[in-house]
Amino acid sequence: MEPRIQNGFLRAIIFMPMWMIIMGTISGLGVFLLMLINGIDLNADPDAATALFENISFDSPVMLFLTACQVAGSFLTLWIATKFIDRKPLMSIGLSVKDKANEMLIGLGFALAFIGGLFFVLWLLGAITITGYVGFKPGVFIVSMMLFLAAFDEELIFRGYVLNNMMDSSSRWVALAGSSALFALMHAGNPSVWSNWVPMTELFAAGFILGISYTFTKNLWFPTFFHFGWNFFQGLLGFEISGINVDSWKMISHESTGNVPDIVSGGAFGIEGSVITLSCTIICTYFIYKYYNELDK
């Protein structure tokens, strides 16, 4: 059946506030459930809820549970949107796992090469100095699950629905630009994101590198595993993730030498605030495009 709303850009724009409301409601119910489980009575102790949530870290089961609530809210929104607006199956957003194991592994391996390569380049340039080896932390298992769910959640929304629908009404590059702009705006409140022009530009470019394969395959697994690996390996190598500290699972400790400008080292925003990362993102987007374009011929 034809979608109830013909314009794909309009469908995507309508979807965003609907998603934020439903996801926010489900997350709120999750918070209420956690308070109930922990026996928190706001009437008796108004500060108890603040104490429960203010110090949670990436390796906290509370963070994992709240991220799972967000994913549940996203799936509910996607089901409503695909069934009643798009009038197509939920699986059409790119959830099929058949013969996708290689794409998952390639996405993870590509992320390791990308982030590891950037770490090596910054070290060679004297932008960072290694201060020690922190070692393995058991909390990395919870972190892995949380980061995977968070990456999956964003790919569901920004590639699976927004990019997918925008491609119905525009060219590949216009759709990528539209979905990438929304992706960047969703991170506009991150710490240090406005420290200079690079962080927001890199977030916009990240929407392209995450979405370019989807424009050919209409499948979410390469971008999901690349996105997960991008965040996980940043933290493992001691970088901030989009301005957020990751001490809970880093294995290598390093610090900025101050020998290069923040625009090169990334500054407080981390590696995503570096023009080197931005340049590599643009170059790699081109090579991914070229690879899939050759497969299509």
Side-chain angles (χ1 to χ4, degrees), residues 1 3 11 75 78-79 81-83 85-97 155-156 159-165 167-168 214 217-221:
M1 291 187 289
R11 293 198 298 272
F75 264 110
L78 287 164
W79 177 78
T82 53
K83 184 175 179 63
I85 299 176
D86 298 42
R87 297 202 285 195
K88 60 185 180 182
L90 177 60
M91 291 294 289
S92 65
I93 66 174
L95 293 170
S96 174
V97 296
E155 294 311 307
L156 284 169
R159 259 58 71 179
Y161 193 86
V162 173
L163 177 57
N164 193 349
N165 276 277
M167 285 176 63
D168 282 350
Y214 187 86
T217 66
K218 291 290 186 73
N219 190 272
L220 288 169
W221 297 115

Side-chain angles (χ1 to χ4, degrees), residues 278-297:
L278 177 58
S279 300
C280 290
T281 300
I282 295 169
I283 293 167
C284 288
T285 299
Y286 168 74
F287 281 115
I288 295 172
Y289 166 77
K290 188 174 180 180
Y291 170 77
Y292 281 102
N293 196 46
E294 289 296 323
L295 286 182
D296 263 8
K297 290 181 179 178

Side-chain angles (χ1 to χ4, degrees), residues 25-59:
T25 301
I26 298 296
S27 296
L29 290 173
V31 169
F32 176 76
L33 181 59
L34 281 173
M35 290 168 54
L36 197 64
I37 292 171
N38 286 273
I40 294 174
D41 184 351
L42 290 179
N43 293 322
D45 186 1
D47 296 325
T50 302
L52 176 63
F53 296 109
E54 67 179 354
N55 293 317
I56 60 174
S57 61
F58 279 93
D59 60 349

Side-chain angles (χ1 to χ4, degrees), residues 74-203:
S74 294
F75 264 110
L76 177 57
T77 314
L78 287 164
W79 177 78
I80 292 170
T82 53
K83 184 175 179 63
F84 298 106
I85 299 176
D86 298 42
R87 297 202 285 195
K88 60 185 180 182
L90 177 60
M91 291 294 289
S92 65
I93 66 174
L95 293 170
S96 174
V97 296
K98 185 179 180 182
D99 301 324
K100 297 302 177 183
N102 282 343
E103 290 198 17
M104 297 175 187
L105 291 174
I106 292 170
L108 201 58
F110 183 41
L112 176 58
F114 190 93
I115 300 301
L118 288 169
F119 180 92
F120 185 64
V121 169
L122 289 176
W123 177 74
L124 281 179
L125 290 174
I128 59 174
T129 180
I130 299 171
T131 57
Y133 176 71
V134 179
F136 176 80
K137 296 181 179 180
V140 74
F141 295 112
I142 292 178
V143 168
S144 298
M145 290 186 285
M146 190 282 296
L147 286 177
F148 179 80
L149 287 177
F152 183 44
D153 188 40
E154 292 189 355
E155 294 311 307
L156 284 169
I157 301 304
F158 293 101
R159 259 58 71 179
Y161 193 86
V162 173
L163 177 57
N164 193 349
N165 276 277
M166 287 183 173
M167 285 176 63
D168 282 350
S169 298
S170 65
S171 69
R172 168 183 285 114
W173 300 109
V174 172
L176 278 167
S179 61
S180 297
L182 289 175
F183 179 71
L185 286 171
M186 285 300 296
H187 296 81
N190 284 28
S192 303
V193 71
W194 298 105
S195 55
N196 56 56
W197 62 270
V198 179
M200 281 299 287
T201 307
E202 168 57 23
L203 286 165

